[in-house]
Amino acid sequence: MTQSSESIRPLPMAAVVYLAFEPAWLALNRQERGEIAGQIGEILARHPKVVFEWFDADALAGGFSDFAICRFSDMRAYHHLWEELRDTVIFSKPYARIVNVTTGIENGFQDYEAALEELADA
């Protein structure tokens, strides 16, 4: 069975990426960290299909120091963003490592129920 292009709709998705920054990052002075953060900002600007929010969690969590929430409807766009980020000094030094990633589809059950209705109507 093939879905028609009219019934295929983008799914709003989100990923929570948990990161742990290493002591090497903390050894940098704030100006050096700011320069690297600026490079990350330039990469994020090149990927407008992904909304990226950064959160500091050092004092509030265990096992990770920061997390990012990425919102997107195109998995390829999300993947390409992270491929480019992984090529930076943040991950190659490494100054940080990805601890865990949680992904989900916003109200995915609604999309499933709509698909069931389309099948019933076919």
Side-chain angles (χ1 to χ4, degrees):
M1 182 176 135
T2 306
Q3 254 187 329
S4 71
S5 61
E6 294 84 34
S7 66
I8 297 173
R9 56 196 164 275
L11 293 171
M13 294 176 270
V16 182
V17 181
Y18 300 92
L19 300 130
F21 277 80
E22 305 293 348
W25 175 256
L26 298 174
L28 298 173
N29 66 46
R30 292 199 177 266
Q31 180 180 345
E32 291 169 317
R33 288 188 232 167
E35 289 169 5
I36 294 169
Q39 294 168 8
I40 300 301
E42 291 170 10
I43 291 170
L44 296 175
R46 287 194 292 270
H47 296 272
K49 290 184 177 181
V50 180
V51 175
F52 191 98
E53 301 170 276
W54 194 275
F55 295 85
D56 186 21
D58 294 276
L60 306 168
F64 58 94
S65 59
D66 296 69
F67 64 93
I69 298 176
C70 302
R71 298 178 191 279
F72 53 96
S73 295
D74 179 347
M75 182 59 79
R76 180 176 283 115
Y78 169 76
H79 177 72
H80 288 182
L81 166 65
W82 280 98
E83 282 295 323
E84 189 170 356
L85 288 172
R86 286 178 48 223
D87 289 342
T88 67
V89 69
I90 288 279
F91 295 104
S92 66
K93 178 76 179 162
Y95 289 127
R97 61 188 165 79
I98 296 172
V99 175
N100 197 3
V101 179
T102 303
T103 57
I105 300 168
E106 184 179 345
N107 296 316
F109 72 96
Q110 292 173 342
D111 182 71
Y112 176 71
E113 290 171 356
L116 289 178
E117 288 177 21
E118 288 175 11
L119 283 174
D121 292 342

